[in-house]
Amino acid sequence: MSEDANVVIVGSGVAGSLVASLLIDAGVSGITILEAGPDIVMKDPRSWFDVVTTGVAPYESLYDSAADYNSEGANPWVITGSRIIGRGGSTIHWGGWCPRFMPEDFALKSNTGLGIDWPYGYKDLEPYYNKAEAYLGVAGVEAKGQRDWRSQPYPMAGPTLPLTAKPIVTALADKGYIFGNMAIARNTVAHNGQSQCITTGTCHYCPIGARFTGDQPLNRVAGEPNVKLIVNAPATRLIMSDKQTVAAVEYRDMTTGNTHKLSATAVYLCAGAFETPKLLQLSTSEYWPAGIGNDNDLVGRYLVANPYLYCRGGTSTNPQRLQQELNFPNLASRQWDTPEEQAHGKFLMNMSYDAPLIHPGKLMYQGMPANEIDAAVTGPLQYELQGALSPLPNYENRVSVASGTTRFGLPRTLIFTPETMVPQSTIDLNGQRMTGLFEQIGYTVSGAGAYPQRGDHAASTCRMAASDSEGVVDTSLKVFGTDNLYVASNAAVPTVGAANLTLTTVAAIMKAVDETLSGKPSWASPAR
Amino acid sequence: MDTDRELTKALGERAGHSFGLTLTPFLREQANRLADKPALPSPDLVGSLSKTEIATLYGIALYPAKKWNVTGHSAFDQAEFTSFVNYKTRQTPSYFTAYKQFLALFAALEQKLGSDKAMDYLYTPDPGTPPANWETVRYWGIQEFLILFVTSGNFRSFGWVNFPGWMGGPYNNPDKLPYRGIDDE
């Protein structure tokens, strides 16, 4: 079946819905968004009751299953639970963490000889960071002298740190380390038509939509007359009419099994760091025998994500009954998110927001009497410090297509990572740093190490670069060698800092779309 | 490490919430096994419990106040509980059959032991020889009632100001936080 669109956007997550919003604001019409997964019910009372009483959110069946991917290498990735394949994408379940990258994160190669430099610097992206923070609704507390300098205040004030943070704050202050609030996309006040946070402590499924999720902009654009969103519609191939021009997107309707051909004058791939390179690799033709944009064998390479560390420490009594009452990210330290750490991995540390956390209902279920429950509440106290490392890119680490098809109609994924993303010495060093904090306040450390590598912040598989010898897309996120094909996704982020990259991805997409529209491409004409 | 990996994988395979995608019986069975929980009986069969039935369940759901001496902080009212039950029975995955089994078990216990002892029996993890549907009633009924009991305000008995699952209110006024702030003692 053949259908027509002007602009086709593949993926309805934070990137796809952002591109749709920006194009609509610019007067572009005829937009079709293809989403491989199904709709996800949001702000739903029944689902929220389930989250509270069972811990299971409605999107969990939309995670990758173990059968959906192969993972091989030095530290095989486990991506189940890392991304959501459904309307709104992975911000449906994200924590909303929105720290900016540090200025040095844009110059990895210049500073260390590793990886690549961004084609532009922090100061070029800074205005778009402000716009991205307004778009996502970021609440934060500006720290004096912070190196990720800002020209505008945060859109919203951040929350006061909870009492539970006090022991860790004491340790950080005693050591003379810097610390502050984690910037988060949570509404201190009502913002962008979304509710004010009322502190439900169930942020992974907010009953009132008070943190940014990808469905929110989709809901706003869905009412536009020239926008169409098709769910259960995995894109299977891009069809080129010549070397430079993408002419159509082929997709499968999972409800009927039929294959459709959707003609387009421009295509934005917004399908994340796994599906985007896979779709380019699969789209072979006489013009691109190794896949679109892949003449230099770079599509899918340089796969990175933040390694994630932990350190658990505690003490024998808890007379203040400390408990994570706020239950969303708050205390963080960028003490080791510095240029000096860049060559072996920078570290952004945070306090886990779900430890200490005791649920008396679960103890009652086990039959524990009242006096023992009270003893548990006032007894041994355990904290967890955590943190993300900036990954070091390596050409050998790659995403590609495995044989077979998932239940979403997507090709299965092969994640091949023969090279680790940081040396073991970096993991050990930062474990020692967190251990030192617990020791500072007299807590006993019960364990430290790295979590299994997940794929939540996977990136760089179609990286932005100054030329096609170094990357896959240019600063406008257009695939080198094409005229109308763009990658607006984590996949295009050239290098990743210790900070979560969603805010930076959003800012980079905003900058790129500005650049594209300023060139007045024919498909962007409102008259079309 | 390996355990973490297996648990992470299992997370993606839980049954119950398909939303447009149907899990195969194999996957559903496997997910239930991995999660180590009894299957929810007849999850596709929706229905409404009577007011009397809901009132009976509400009485059982309130019993922890007596058993654990948790009083004075509850916002656990019958209207909210009725709303909870209706959402659970009228939508899929439906608890309609599970709650019917719950009510039947309680009726049998009540006839045999009297009301208070029947309730106490339900809140005792190991009753010796378990009666029919015991695991289902405990897992899908008692456990969730206990969680709801605590999150619906009774967490305050343990010294906390807020708790996951409780709508504490806005935090934009530092002088009136819905949780204990860093300067609180």
Side-chain angles (χ1 to χ4, degrees):
Chain A
M1 278 179 248
S2 294
E3 300 156 4
D4 292 325
N6 179 24
V7 179
V8 174
I9 298 172
V10 177
S12 73
V14 61
S17 55
L18 169 65
V19 170
S21 299
L22 294 171
L23 296 185
I24 288 165
D25 288 348
V28 177
S29 61
I31 297 170
T32 297
I33 306 170
L34 298 175
E35 169 52 53
D39 201 357
I40 300 172
V41 62
M42 299 295 287
K43 296 197 291 184
D44 173 56
R46 164 63 197 270
S47 297
W48 187 68
F49 277 134
D50 285 346
V51 165
V52 172
T53 57
T54 70
V56 179
Y59 47 72
E60 290 184 21
S61 62
L62 304 178
Y63 287 149
D64 293 274
S65 77
D68 289 340
Y69 64 98
N70 295 345
S71 185
E72 303 168 7
N75 181 18
W77 291 30
V78 179
I79 64 169
T80 299
S82 295
R83 61 174 183 162
I84 291 172
I85 299 165
R87 184 184 187 273
S90 297
T91 53
I92 296 293
H93 79 156
W94 75 323
W97 305 28
C98 282
R100 295 181 175 192
F101 279 12
M102 289 292 191
E104 66 272 12
D105 292 326
F106 296 82
L108 179 64
K109 186 166 188 180
S110 294
N111 296 341
T112 69
L114 303 168
I116 192 175
D117 286 349
W118 285 57
Y120 49 79
Y122 182 89
K123 71 175 171 45
D124 303 305
L125 196 60
E126 203 281 335
Y128 294 96
Y129 267 134
N130 295 322
K131 291 179 183 179
E133 287 169 344
Y135 178 78
L136 296 171
V138 176
V141 178
E142 190 166 353
K144 194 176 177 183
Q146 67 182 60
R147 291 190 310 105
D148 52 333
W149 56 270
R150 36 189 322 113
S151 60
Q152 290 182 19
Y154 281 105
M156 287 173 276
T160 302
L161 291 173
L163 180 62
T164 330
K166 196 159 194 173
I168 310 301
V169 165
T170 299
L172 288 161
D174 286 354
K175 290 268 195 183
Y177 295 158
I178 58 170
F179 61 89
N181 280 60
M182 175 68 77
I184 47 174
R186 230 171 235 83
N187 294 343
T188 306
V189 294
H191 184 79
N192 281 351
Q194 298 298 134
S195 301
Q196 176 182 34
C197 174
I198 54 169
T199 331
T200 66
T202 54
C203 298
H204 59 299
Y205 190 81
C206 181
I208 58 170
R211 95 188 189 291
F212 177 89
T213 46
D215 63 301
Q216 293 167 5
L218 279 180
N219 295 340
R220 288 195 284 272
V221 302
E224 299 290 330
N226 291 312
V227 177
K228 186 176 178 183
L229 169 65
I230 309 174
V231 296
N232 297 306
T236 51
R237 196 163 68 99
L238 306 175
I239 299 168
M240 306 297 287
S241 58
D242 54 50
K243 177 98 179 178
Q244 292 80 28
T245 311
V246 60
V249 179
E250 192 177 88
Y251 73 93
R252 190 172 165 206
D253 182 340
M254 293 298 286
T255 60
T256 63
N258 294 332
T259 297
H260 298 246
K261 184 178 169 186
L262 182 57
S263 66
T265 49
V267 174
Y268 273 87
L269 303 183
C270 306
F274 295 125
E275 299 312 320
T276 300
K278 286 163 58 187
L279 184 55
L280 291 172
Q281 290 165 359
L282 281 169
S283 300
T284 56
S285 66
E286 59 185 297
Y287 313 112
W288 296 98
I292 300 172
N294 201 27
D295 282 355
N296 294 322
D297 190 21
L298 294 175
V299 171
R301 293 198 180 273
Y302 298 105
L303 170 67
V304 292
N306 298 114
Y308 211 67
L309 310 186
Y310 69 90
C311 181
R312 298 180 188 120
T315 187
S316 58
T317 61
N318 182 10
Q320 287 183 292
R321 298 166 181 262
L322 296 175
Q323 168 99 339
Q324 294 290 7
E325 297 175 26
L326 184 54
N327 206 230
F328 62 67
N330 47 84
L331 177 62
S333 173
R334 306 189 81 166
Q335 175 71 26
W336 302 289
D337 189 2
T338 62
E340 292 74 27
E341 309 284 329
Q342 196 171 17
H344 56 264
K346 298 153 46 133
F347 187 52
L348 195 165
M349 193 192 76
N350 66 279
M351 177 183 71
S352 167
Y353 55 93
D354 54 13
L357 187 60
I358 287 177
H359 201 310
K362 293 180 179 174
L363 301 181
M364 291 171 179
Y365 183 63
Q366 294 165 17
M368 193 177 278
N371 62 325
E372 289 182 21
I373 293 175
D374 202 60
V377 168
T378 57
L381 171 70
Q382 180 164 284
Y383 278 84
E384 180 166 312
L385 294 175
Q386 304 170 333
L389 291 167
S390 60
L392 302 173
N394 191 295
Y395 175 81
E396 299 298 334
N397 293 338
R398 186 172 198 184
V399 170
S400 57
V401 176
S403 62
T405 305
T406 71
R407 64 194 187 283
F408 302 106
L410 296 166
R412 292 179 64 254
T413 303
L414 173 60
I415 302 167
F416 181 56
T417 52
E419 301 296 330
T420 57
M421 284 177 291
V422 292
Q424 182 62 41
S425 57
T426 300
I427 294 170
D428 296 340
L429 172 64
N430 289 291
Q432 289 160 13
R433 286 166 168 163
M434 292 188 284
T435 296
L437 286 169
F438 282 128
E439 289 174 347
Q440 182 67 29
I441 49 175
Y443 282 20
T444 302
V445 172
S446 55
Y451 279 113
Q453 183 61 51
R454 290 167 55 101
D456 304 60
H457 307 142
S460 304
T461 50
C462 299
R463 67 185 190 177
M464 178 182 11
S467 72
D468 66 351
S469 63
E470 291 186 306
V472 177
V473 299
D474 64 16
T475 54
S476 72
L477 304 181
K478 188 163 65 179
V479 175
F480 285 117
T482 72
D483 290 337
N484 62 346
L485 176 60
Y486 302 82
V487 171
S489 155
N490 287 350
V493 172
T495 59
V496 172
N500 311 52
L501 79 162
T502 301
L503 175 73
T504 298
T505 300
V506 167
I509 292 172
M510 287 176 157
K511 184 177 186 304
V513 172
D514 255 9
E515 182 181 332
T516 297
L517 293 178
S518 69
K520 302 189 186 308
S522 60
W523 53 265
S525 165
R528 282 188 70 89
Chain B
M1 185 79 80
D2 286 338
T3 303
D4 282 352
R5 184 167 286 133
E6 289 308 311
L7 284 174
T8 310
K9 284 185 177 180
L11 187 65
E13 297 166 353
R14 283 182 180 162
H17 294 76
S18 55
F19 291 95
L21 291 170
T22 304
L23 290 175
T24 64
F26 168 76
L27 265 182
R28 185 170 288 202
E29 185 184 330
Q30 188 185 43
N32 283 329
R33 182 179 58 76
L34 285 168
D36 193 24
K37 64 186 180 187
L40 182 66
S42 306
D44 299 324
L45 180 63
V46 296
S48 296
L49 297 183
S50 69
K51 284 184 180 177
T52 305
E53 288 173 319
I54 293 174
T56 300
L57 291 177
Y58 183 59
I60 297 169
L62 282 180
Y63 185 72
K66 185 174 181 180
K67 183 172 174 66
W68 280 277
N69 193 28
V70 176
T71 56
H73 297 284
S74 181
F76 194 38
D77 64 38
Q78 190 161 358
E80 187 181 348
F81 182 79
T82 299
S83 172
F84 171 82
V85 169
N86 285 337
Y87 277 118
K88 289 277 190 177
T89 61
R90 293 175 181 176
Q91 296 181 14
T92 58
S94 170
Y95 285 45
F96 182 70
T97 302
Y99 286 166
K100 283 287 191 182
Q101 290 177 358
F102 191 150
L103 288 159
L105 175 58
F106 178 68
L109 290 170
E110 190 177 33
Q111 192 171 28
K112 187 176 168 184
L113 304 171
S115 182
D116 258 24
K117 283 187 177 173
M119 289 195 200
D120 204 74
Y121 186 96
L122 287 170
Y123 283 99
T124 304
D126 182 8
T129 306
N133 301 321
W134 175 251
E135 284 190 1
T136 298
V137 170
R138 283 277 301 170
Y139 189 89
W140 298 105
I142 292 296
Q143 177 174 236
E144 294 194 16
F145 286 3
L146 279 167
I147 290 169
L148 200 61
F149 176 77
V150 171
T151 58
S152 298
N154 288 305
F155 61 86
R156 293 196 184 102
S157 295
F158 301 92
W160 306 315
V161 174
N162 208 345
F163 195 83
W166 172 257
M167 294 186 179
Y171 53 72
N172 60 324
N173 180 357
D175 296 326
K176 195 180 175 187
L177 295 172
Y179 56 92
R180 289 182 293 171
I182 193 162
D183 294 325
D184 293 341
E185 292 298 338

